[in-house]
Amino acid sequence: MSTDDVLQTFVAEARELLLGMEDSLLALERDPRDGEAISATFRAIHTIKGSAGLFSLDQLVAFAHVAETLLDLVRDGRVAVDGDLIALLLECSDYLGFLINQIAGEEVADAATQEARRPTLLARLQACIASSVAPSASQAESPRQAPPSAVPAAGEVADPVHNDAWHISLRFGPEVLKNGMDPASFLRYLGTLGEIAHITTLWQQMPAPEAMDAENCYLGFELDFRSEASREAIDSTFDFVRDDCRITLLPPRSSIDDYLKLIAEAPEGLERLGEILVASGALSQAELERALERQRQAAPPALGEMLIQEDGIPAPVVQAALEKQAKGRENRSAATRFIRVDAEKLEDLINQVGELVIAGASATLLSQRSGDTALIEAMAQVGRHVEEIRDRALSLRMVEIGESFNRFPRVVRDVSRELGKDIELVITGAETELDKTVVEKIGDPLMHLVRNSMDHGIESIEERLARGKPAQGRLSLHAYHESGSIVIEVADDGGGLKRDKILAKAMDRGLVAPGQALTDRDVFNLIFEPGFSTAEQVTNLSGRGVGMDVVRRNISALRGSIDIESQEGVGTTMRIRLPLTLAIIDGFLIQVADSAFVLPLDLVQECMELPDGERLQSRGQSSHYLDLRGEALPCLRLRNLLNLEGESSQRENVVIVQYGNRRAGLVVDRLLGEFQTVIKPLGQIFRHLRGFSGSTILGTGEVALILDVPTLVHDASGREARLLGESNAGQAIGSEQPA
Amino acid sequence: MNAPVTAAPERETEARTQCLTFQLGNELFAVGILNVREIIEYGHLTVVPMMPDSVRGVINLRGAVVPVIDLRRRFGHAPTVVGRRTCIVIVETPTAEETQVVGIMVDAVNEVLDIPDTQIEPPPAFGTHLRTDFIRGMAKMDKGFILVLDLNHVLAEDDFHALVQDSECAAA
Amino acid sequence: MAKTILIVDDSASLRQVVSIALKGAGYETLEACDGQDGLNKLKGQKVHLIISDVNMPVMDGITFVTELKKLPEHRFTPVIMLTTEAGDSMKQRGQAAGAKAWVVKPFQPAQMLTAVTKLVMP
């Protein structure tokens, strides 16, 4: 793994953290005392900063540092949580997101503008930090420095000794071993900084065997050490044991007084340590005598500044802290069972499974032609396993739709503020699963619909109150599975679509012939027609140069459909229906003239033979009606609709399809049965071709096209409506079922 | 590449383009060899309804679904009549999003030619019976003129888009 | 045999960078994404040193060290805690729990390597 790969990990991780942070901030907006949300926000910034430091992303670290400082104060209750603070932190999150995008090497269009926000944001953060209240007594804590050195840092050394090596005096505390520290490891590390000229091990503190605790450390060392390293470097060796140990570091030619101090405080006693120092060559006998003489003259030295630092925290405080942390154990413990897999690997796997399915179909075909029963049975068994593997492989790519719902709380919050509306967002079914590639591509259309609902759907507060509605509008995102598809609803309790206005505008634009009667649904669906969205509707929110037609096109590109239900004054529901996967589906194979086509099996309700009478009547028309057990079922003759020439079969069949609550019949020549369909994209040349959602390869190796039934039906009905104009009004293709 | 090793130093002094030449009727055409992925026999293809007839259909190229363009039709002539030497040349053209793989139907494939760039001249304003943007240049060779095609324009998807809509309107 | 170091941090990128630096110096590494995961990874595993963040979901670093000290086979394993300047009170609690070695975030990989070699030579 290279550092570049790791940087990618960092980018993905930072984005995830920022999203999580937004969630927490929004939770905090609802309940400013939500301690867990504060902690989570802090943790996000903290982790981003910590990781960014590893990559020397100084810009990011510096900014995150200030935000972290503020959040630490918030966590301690020294800065109050209010709307301004949350707004500020959200802006910080945006700015951090921008920095991350830059780190990811993405083109950022308004980089200069974004960057210009930095000083302002920093100033606002600093202002908040400055406003913090003084810590309460229990939180008072002066930053602790490394213990002051035992020796005057610089200047004239009074009465230096002759020793030109460092002298290091170490007394390891009894707890050192329990803390996981091995005294020898520090001496080994010291060996990397210079040469240990002399070492004396002091074991005099060792108690009698019966009183000895084998887990305690009773050792001390007196070292003479020759090194070119700086004092800081040598001193830092003992950073991790400083709190447990007595460490005295005397530079070469230290003052005799320093040695005196050292001797005086030695637990082994004056005489003993003196002897050791002389024996090790740190002091000459004369120097020792001189020191002891002074010792006798002066009062005992102040010990205070050399004391071991104790951890003076009362036990209850620790206990309370631990309990609080325990509460933070969220349901995320499951996360440890996941492994990260490169999406490309998964893609490869699914492609391979697709090839396996095709090869399997071809082998099955051959086995059937051979007429060998044992072989047919064996192939059938292989087929079942392939099907199983297909399902498992596809499920690997299934993710919860919640991933693309995540950003909406923030969007709704921001946009409703911008619009001066009060809008509550309700999300249900976020755990509904669908293919990752679909999730990624549905984000933009959803965003457009959500913005559209907030902008045009939900009324202003005054209007709502005037209509006797609650001031707070309600926008809901709802996802659920329905017959092999996922349905996503964007619903609002706003003013609803105005049927007459839409119809008038559609006529104005020539989308509907005058006098043509249409169902409500047909009228509402007109807003998805290209050229329907008008300048007057385009605000800076939902406008952005794309109309609802783009939304529908994007959804069609995913082999999905969109439908509208609306009631004036009550609200609007936009219903998106998407296939669960874009890779492999269960298909139903049909033949028209010489061509085979695939229908998604989920849409197929039933098949029947076309009655003779109907047959004669329907010849030559691309659409007509069929009496299905008393119900008038609109039918499309694919042969005519698709302009296919070729032998027609003696008996024609009707495949009855249903999607949403629409039903239609498709007249075909032959029914070839179910077929595992590996979806192959059609080339770019076919990008604008409507009515086909892709292609697949049959067992024979031939290519078959997959029919996009909703689009076929929709286009056929539109064409018919245009052709027929005023006559035969209201009889658009696709009969509606009571829901 | 496949070019002989001895050709390399020569290429440095004189720029050359290796081309695959093929025939449509009596006319000779060429495409850069770097665009050509393979040449396959004309076999079964699946018709795609509602597409202009310059799009002959799609084929299964070892698991990938590849459109096949009838080049004669694309150039405004009558559709290709499949004969003994009819071939599909699989070509790749880079587009903004991905590499587009398309098969072009030709009457016969001739040979691979090393055409010096100095011998490729800009196309005449008229007289080729072709849209000028389809032609990168004309090469004067011993056998006569060869039209070197600009595949990016020949296979531009937007043109097919327009045709789709036309046919849709026609159907309606 | 190379010495094994367990890295416990909720940031995958941090774990990876530290891991690369340590492996480069001749250590073996294990990774865990939080304290609970760390305890799981320790089961039946000889580890010479642990590097652990303080702020983590599921189980934070201090609880992790407290739990670690209850495990007979791991209670003497040295732990380097990662903290920020802002986390001073946290440091006190950590020290009470038995974590004495602290490295301040953000750090450079080389700094971490130095800290590690103080406790365990490769």
Side-chain angles (χ1 to χ4, degrees):
Chain A
M1 181 178 289
S2 72
T3 320
D4 251 17
D5 293 336
V6 186
L7 190 62
Q8 289 314 308
T9 313
F10 167 74
V11 166
E13 175 181 283
R15 284 179 176 153
E16 241 168 69
L17 286 165
L18 285 179
L19 255 184
M21 174 168 147
E22 278 186 8
D23 274 354
S24 304
L25 288 172
L26 296 177
L28 214 48
E29 193 165 51
R30 289 191 291 276
D31 177 9
R33 286 159 309 175
D34 185 338
E36 186 46 40
I38 296 175
S39 300
T41 309
F42 174 82
R43 210 159 50 219
I45 288 285
H46 166 86
T47 306
I48 290 173
K49 176 184 138 186
S51 309
L54 284 172
F55 298 98
S56 305
L57 303 168
D58 300 337
Q59 281 278 90
L60 181 55
V61 172
F63 187 86
H65 175 68
V66 181
E68 185 191 29
T69 308
L70 173 58
L71 280 163
D72 194 41
L73 292 169
V74 172
R75 203 167 54 155
D76 287 350
R78 291 169 54 191
V79 169
V81 177
D82 58 20
D84 289 343
L85 181 80
I86 289 168
L88 171 59
L89 290 171
L90 283 171
E91 283 178 56
C92 289
S93 162
D94 288 344
Y95 175 72
L96 286 169
F98 153 72
L99 289 180
I100 302 283
N101 287 345
Q102 282 198 322
I103 291 162
E106 282 171 19
E107 284 286 323
V108 181
D110 54 344
T113 329
Q114 292 278 1
E115 200 42 60
R117 298 165 63 188
R118 187 182 175 104
T120 329
L121 285 174
L122 281 173
R124 284 166 67 193
L125 287 169
Q126 293 293 4
C128 284
I129 292 170
S131 76
S132 70
V133 296
S136 58
S138 67
Q139 286 156 339
E141 166 88 35
S142 59
R144 252 197 295 182
Q145 297 295 324
S149 63
V151 177
E156 285 294 299
V157 174
D159 200 0
V161 300
H162 74 278
N163 189 0
D164 59 352
W166 289 82
H167 184 82
I168 303 170
S169 173
L170 298 171
R171 295 296 178 280
F172 287 98
E175 298 292 309
V176 162
L177 294 173
K178 287 179 192 159
N179 289 335
M181 308 295 173
D182 176 1
S185 70
F186 299 102
L187 299 182
R188 263 183 237 126
Y189 179 78
L190 208 55
T192 65
L193 297 178
E195 178 208 350
I196 298 176
H198 195 275
I199 183 165
T200 309
T201 307
L202 300 171
W203 44 268
Q204 283 75 7
Q205 295 299 305
M206 188 93 72
E210 59 275 12
M212 196 183 98
D213 181 344
E215 293 187 355
N216 279 359
C217 177
Y218 300 101
L219 296 180
F221 298 92
E222 294 293 328
L223 310 161
D224 287 294
F225 181 58
R226 283 179 216 284
S227 170
E228 298 300 314
S230 67
R231 179 185 186 97
E232 285 72 30
I234 298 172
D235 195 46
S236 75
T237 305
F238 306 102
D239 277 348
F240 299 151
V241 278
R242 201 178 299 290
D243 294 347
D244 284 339
C245 303
R246 268 179 43 157
I247 299 149
T248 310
L249 199 55
L250 299 181
R253 302 190 195 287
S254 287
S255 122
I256 190 106
D257 282 345
D258 295 325
Y259 275 95
L260 180 56
K261 243 188 206 164
L262 177 72
I263 296 167
E265 287 151 17
E268 295 81 10
L270 282 176
E271 315 297 328
R272 176 82 192 110
L273 185 63
E275 281 164 33
I276 290 166
L277 291 178
V278 173
S280 70
L283 290 183
S284 68
Q285 188 63 40
E287 283 166 337
L288 175 64
E289 296 288 331
R290 210 159 75 223
L292 292 177
E293 179 57 29
R294 279 193 207 188
Q295 162 73 13
R296 277 188 288 275
Q297 287 167 1
L303 295 178
E305 64 219 339
M306 300 262 317
L307 273 187
I308 303 164
Q309 294 196 354
E310 294 283 347
D311 296 318
I313 322 161
V317 174
V318 178
Q319 194 52 40
L322 294 180
E323 275 170 18
K324 197 176 157 209
Q325 295 289 346
K327 261 169 55 185
R329 290 181 205 178
E330 304 138 33
N331 52 1
R332 279 186 47 187
S333 54
T336 61
R337 300 204 310 272
F338 289 127
I339 52 169
R340 260 175 211 268
V341 180
D342 191 336
E344 232 166 76
K345 283 189 190 171
L346 222 48
E347 193 90 9
D348 278 351
L349 173 71
I350 287 168
N351 285 339
Q352 283 304 316
V353 170
E355 297 310 316
L356 181 64
V357 168
I358 293 172
S362 142
T364 304
L365 196 72
L366 289 175
S367 74
Q368 281 160 355
R369 281 186 193 156
S370 77
D372 181 336
T373 327
L375 180 62
I376 292 171
E377 248 168 57
M379 269 318 299
Q381 190 159 1
V382 170
R384 279 193 294 278
H385 289 305
V386 168
E387 211 167 310
E388 189 106 325
I389 287 175
R390 176 200 73 170
D391 291 348
R392 299 276 162 88
L394 287 177
S395 75
L396 292 180
R397 238 181 14 185
M398 292 294 188
V399 295
E400 294 182 356
I401 181 123
E403 204 175 290
S404 55
F405 284 177
N406 274 340
R407 54 180 172 158
F408 289 111
R410 173 76 193 278
V411 171
V412 171
R413 173 194 174 278
D414 287 357
V415 174
S416 55
R417 285 203 172 183
E418 226 170 290
L419 294 168
K421 294 178 182 177
D422 183 6
I423 301 171
E424 176 200 19
L425 175 70
V426 184
I427 292 179
T428 45
E431 71 289 346
T432 315
E433 289 192 331
L434 76 165
D435 197 306
K436 172 97 177 145
T437 45
V438 186
V439 169
E440 279 164 3
K441 289 179 179 150
I442 196 63
D444 286 346
L446 270 184
M447 180 67 77
H448 198 85
L449 292 178
V450 164
R451 284 175 176 262
N452 190 69
S453 280
M454 282 191 285
D455 202 6
H456 305 305
I458 294 173
E459 316 92 325
S460 66
I461 295 177
E462 302 77 44
E463 239 175 293
R464 290 182 67 88
L465 291 174
R467 288 181 183 176
K469 285 180 170 182
Q472 190 182 49
R474 193 181 151 102
L475 182 70
S476 63
L477 282 172
H478 179 39
Y480 56 94
H481 282 151
E482 191 185 272
S483 62
S485 307
I486 183 169
V487 179
I488 305 166
E489 291 179 353
V490 180
D492 65 61
D493 67 346
L497 292 177
K498 288 160 194 71
R499 193 193 142 98
D500 301 340
K501 252 179 133 176
I502 293 172
L503 203 53
K505 192 181 279 174
M507 282 180 197
D508 201 37
R509 282 167 214 278
L511 298 170
V512 179
Q516 182 181 345
L518 297 167
T519 63
D520 283 353
R521 180 194 299 268
D522 292 329
V523 173
F524 296 151
N525 278 326
L526 287 170
I527 70 168
F528 294 119
E529 290 299 323
F532 185 85
S533 299
T534 60
E536 59 183 281
Q537 269 192 319
V538 176
T539 70
N540 64 331
L541 289 179
S542 53
R544 295 189 193 266
V546 286
M548 296 289 264
D549 58 319
V550 177
V551 172
R552 186 167 69 184
R553 200 186 316 145
N554 289 345
I555 290 170
S556 301
L558 293 170
R559 296 194 301 111
S561 61
I562 182 165
D563 229 342
I564 304 183
E565 226 169 72
S566 183
Q567 205 176 338
E568 200 165 340
V570 179
T572 304
T573 300
M574 310 264 187
R575 198 169 288 120
I576 302 172
R577 194 174 295 276
L578 291 168
L580 290 179
T581 169
L582 296 177
I584 307 175
I585 56 167
D586 281 316
F588 187 76
L589 204 56
I590 54 161
Q591 189 179 330
V592 184
D594 299 327
S595 306
F597 295 96
V598 177
L599 294 166
L601 185 64
D602 300 314
L603 300 182
V604 176
Q605 277 218 311
E606 61 177 300
C607 302
M608 56 184 278
E609 207 169 282
L610 188 70
D612 280 349
E614 299 286 350
R615 203 174 158 204
L616 287 171
Q617 195 194 331
S618 67
R619 240 210 190 141
Q621 295 180 335
S622 65
S623 63
H624 64 109
Y625 276 81
L626 184 68
D627 180 358
L628 178 72
R629 295 183 286 271
E631 173 202 335
L633 181 75
C635 283
L636 290 178
R637 260 182 89 81
L638 290 184
R639 175 182 285 267
N640 302 79
L641 188 72
L642 304 178
N643 281 325
L644 294 169
E645 287 156 23
E647 278 294 294
S648 93
S649 64
Q650 275 306 308
R651 301 210 162 274
E652 284 176 309
N653 290 282
V654 185
V655 182
I656 294 151
V657 292
Q658 171 153 16
Y659 59 97
N661 47 6
R662 282 190 161 202
R663 284 229 283 187
L666 302 176
V667 180
V668 305
D669 288 337
R670 290 178 64 199
L671 305 173
L672 302 176
E674 291 182 24
F675 176 69
Q676 281 191 65
T677 307
V678 180
I679 299 170
K680 302 272 180 182
L682 281 168
Q684 290 189 49
I685 279 181
F686 304 105
R687 185 188 288 182
H688 305 285
L689 175 65
R690 290 171 63 80
F692 300 96
S693 56
S695 60
T696 189
I697 293 170
L698 303 175
T700 56
E702 286 169 24
V703 180
L705 300 172
I706 302 168
L707 293 173
D708 174 2
V709 175
T711 307
L712 274 181
V713 172
H714 175 269
D715 287 1
S717 72
R719 227 175 351 244
E720 187 166 290
R722 277 198 296 276
L723 275 180
L724 298 180
E726 56 275 7
S727 68
N728 204 7
Q731 302 294 309
I733 296 285
S735 73
E736 207 161 305
Q737 301 292 300
Chain B
M1 290 283 99
N2 297 330
V5 184
T6 51
E10 195 184 343
R11 192 177 293 167
E12 270 166 32
T13 53
E14 191 182 6
R16 294 167 160 271
T17 309
Q18 274 204 314
C19 290
L20 177 77
T21 62
F22 55 83
Q23 256 171 275
L24 295 182
N26 294 323
E27 279 185 292
L28 270 181
F29 292 86
V31 290
I33 199 81
L34 293 177
N35 287 114
V36 178
R37 194 199 264 186
E38 61 186 297
I39 301 160
I40 58 172
E41 258 179 80
Y42 181 85
H44 178 89
L45 52 72
T46 300
V47 174
V48 180
M50 300 192 281
M51 284 299 280
D53 55 3
S54 56
V55 180
R56 195 82 175 216
V58 286
I59 55 166
N60 167 11
L61 184 71
R62 290 185 303 281
V65 174
V66 173
V68 175
I69 306 296
D70 184 338
L71 217 47
R72 273 170 172 264
R73 194 73 199 90
R74 177 76 176 128
F75 292 160
H77 307 306
T80 303
V81 177
V82 177
R84 207 171 42 83
R85 296 185 64 196
T86 306
C87 282
I88 298 173
V89 180
I90 307 293
V91 295
E92 295 177 326
T93 54
T95 66
E97 288 143 54
E98 55 190 357
T99 301
Q100 187 177 227
V101 180
V102 176
I104 53 177
M105 243 176 113
V106 302
D107 287 338
V109 168
N110 287 15
E111 60 185 329
V112 175
L113 266 188
D114 224 7
I115 305 179
D117 282 2
T118 49
Q119 255 164 283
I120 302 180
E121 283 171 20
F126 63 93
T128 60
H129 309 291
L130 275 184
R131 264 168 57 180
T132 47
D133 64 330
F134 285 177
I135 307 171
R136 216 182 80 200
M138 282 180 88
K140 170 85 180 76
M141 303 300 280
D142 302 341
K143 309 159 180 90
F145 283 104
I146 299 175
L147 289 170
V148 183
L149 294 175
D150 182 338
L151 281 178
N152 281 324
H153 283 109
V154 173
L155 304 174
E157 54 157 302
D158 282 345
D159 287 351
F160 295 102
H161 173 206
L163 290 165
V164 170
Q165 285 192 332
D166 287 350
S167 75
E168 214 182 8
C169 288
Chain C
M1 205 187 74
K3 304 274 172 52
T4 305
I5 298 176
L6 172 68
I7 307 159
V8 187
D9 197 301
D10 51 339
S11 157
S13 58
L14 183 136
R15 292 197 306 266
Q16 287 170 9
V17 173
V18 171
S19 181
I20 287 171
L22 293 178
K23 282 179 174 160
Y27 296 95
E28 289 289 326
T29 59
L30 290 171
E31 295 180 28
C33 64
D34 60 58
Q36 185 60 56
D37 190 25
L39 292 175
N40 292 341
K41 294 270 159 67
L42 281 172
K43 278 181 192 141
Q45 179 75 39
K46 172 68 187 160
V47 167
H48 298 84
L49 175 81
I50 296 167
I51 299 169
S52 172
D53 191 18
V54 174
N55 262 295
M56 291 181 290
V58 187
M59 183 190 281
D60 65 89
I62 291 170
T63 315
F64 171 60
V65 172
T66 311
E67 292 299 315
L68 181 78
K69 293 290 170 191
K70 293 179 188 163
L71 303 173
E73 69 275 32
H74 294 299
R75 48 190 294 235
F76 292 126
T77 307
V79 182
I80 294 179
M81 297 297 276
L82 306 179
T83 181
T84 59
E85 307 89 297
D88 219 46
S89 63
M90 196 59 83
K91 190 164 168 178
Q92 286 190 13
R93 284 190 236 148
Q95 294 201 327
K100 301 290 176 170
W102 293 75
V103 167
V104 172
K105 273 199 208 180
F107 53 82
Q108 293 290 313
Q111 287 171 277
M112 176 51 75
L113 197 58
T114 305
V116 167
T117 48
K118 283 177 192 169
L119 295 171
V120 181
M121 281 285 167

